[in-house]
Amino acid sequence: MKYARFIAGGRALNGHLRDGKLIDAAGVAHPSDDVQFLLPVEPPKVIALALNYNDHAGELGLTQPKEPALFWKPNTTLLPHRGSVIYPRGAEFMHYEVELGVIIGRDARRVKAGDAMDYVGGYTIGNDLVVRDYVTNTFRPPMRGKGWDTFGPLGPYYVTADEIADPHDLKLTAHVNGELRQQGSTRDMIFSIPELIEHISRFMTLQKDDVILTGTPKGISHVRPGDVMTLEVEGLGTLVNDTVEEDEGAEPIQGKESKEGEWDGR
């Protein structure tokens, strides 16, 4: 089943998708084009994965990690389907990353890989946006590059795990203004979903509705104010967000991350 949280008629509602309409608890059908989407879940936390596709590591000139390379996406980054991503003033290279988002269905701690899929509630689409200007030093978690407000669109749906026969065989695509920019398959993930859940739950509790963003394939490119990003993961729907420039009162980005092994005085 595909579920969504949305606003219609000034009311916050939950519904499931049927024939292009969202059916609320009272059985009222709302055309999906007419509603304001909310986040598919309100996650306690979002954990993202860097360099989980060999081809993406290669295009960045980086080495494949020996264990999952994790970082946080602050909850202030989260943005629903059809929300506007804010392009930071002065950014030189901002890009999208289409990703499979795994939604945890119940609390998980010290879970073994063989049991891990029992803890998956469902899936959604994630866009792990980044200002690449700030990710030259891979010894640091990329918080300044990936932690900007609005840099974590999720949605549009919470697709229950039973709808996806094999989450490790899904096509991913990203279009910008209708042009195909990125494509790949979850077949090419380095660390599988069970491996990620085992690894993370060994040292922290994964809570119900937490989201794990599982990485992106090759195909990043620059987006600019006015661009529209259309991301698809097979079976999960389509996540669409436009890009608007930060307001004029914001100071432009200044400075860069130091390169690996250098100290920049901070």
Side-chain angles (χ1 to χ4, degrees):
M1 189 78 74
K2 291 182 173 69
Y3 292 98
R5 301 168 61 246
F6 58 95
I7 294 175
R11 300 173 61 210
L13 300 167
N14 295 288
H16 65 275
L17 186 67
R18 188 176 70 200
D19 299 327
K21 295 182 179 179
L22 291 165
I23 313 301
D24 68 22
V28 177
H30 304 267
S32 56
D33 289 341
D34 296 342
V35 305
Q36 178 184 342
F37 277 84
L38 302 173
L39 293 169
V41 291
E42 291 283 354
K45 56 186 174 289
V46 178
I47 301 170
L49 196 65
L51 305 177
N52 199 32
Y53 287 73
N54 269 321
D55 56 0
H56 179 54
E59 74 177 330
L60 297 175
L62 299 172
T63 304
Q64 172 186 333
K66 293 183 173 59
E67 65 174 40
L70 307 174
F71 60 94
W72 296 106
K73 288 293 280 193
N75 282 31
T76 48
T77 65
L78 300 182
L79 187 73
H81 174 55
R82 297 201 291 249
S84 294
V85 172
I86 299 172
Y87 184 99
R89 284 189 174 271
E92 293 182 10
F93 184 20
M94 172 179 139
H95 63 79
Y96 51 83
E97 292 183 357
V98 59
E99 308 203 3
L100 172 66
V102 178
I103 303 173
I104 299 300
R106 58 191 172 104
D107 288 5
R109 182 74 162 93
R110 298 177 184 168
V111 173
K112 296 300 184 185
D115 301 319
M117 296 306 290
D118 294 338
Y119 291 82
V120 174
Y123 306 95
T124 194
I125 304 170
N127 186 354
D128 179 20
L129 286 145
V130 55
V131 175
R132 185 59 58 182
D133 311 22
Y134 285 141
V135 199
T136 59
N137 188 331
T138 55
F139 286 108
R140 296 180 180 174
M143 292 298 294
R144 188 161 58 153
K146 291 174 173 279
W148 291 79
D149 290 354
T150 75
F151 269 34
L154 295 176
Y157 305 113
Y158 183 139
V159 182
T160 53
D162 61 292
E163 282 226 346
I164 303 301
D166 184 1
H168 299 98
D169 188 17
L170 302 176
K171 182 180 178 181
L172 307 94
T173 61
H175 290 77
V176 178
N177 303 328
E179 175 190 359
L180 179 63
R181 298 277 187 91
Q182 185 181 27
Q183 60 182 331
S185 171
T186 57
R187 289 192 308 268
D188 299 323
M189 288 194 298
I190 297 169
F191 299 104
S192 69
I193 294 166
E195 289 173 318
L196 293 174
I197 291 175
E198 178 177 28
H199 178 76
I200 297 168
S201 72
R202 180 63 186 89
F203 60 89
M204 76 168 73
T205 299
L206 286 168
Q207 298 166 278
K208 183 180 184 300
D209 292 339
D210 278 352
V211 175
I212 302 173
L213 297 178
T214 55
T216 198
K218 179 181 178 180
I220 60 173
S221 65
H222 192 41
V223 290
R224 297 172 175 80
D227 287 346
V228 176
M229 299 167 288
T230 304
L231 277 54
E232 296 185 51
V233 176
E234 186 179 353
L236 303 187
T238 304
L239 174 64
V240 180
N241 298 95
D242 67 330
T243 310
V244 298
E245 190 162 16
E246 196 172 19
D247 67 272
E248 294 182 358
E251 293 184 4
I253 289 178
Q254 296 184 2
K256 304 274 184 172
E257 290 281 2
S258 61
K259 297 206 180 207
E260 293 180 0
E262 294 181 356
W263 181 64
D264 63 356
R266 285 177 289 178

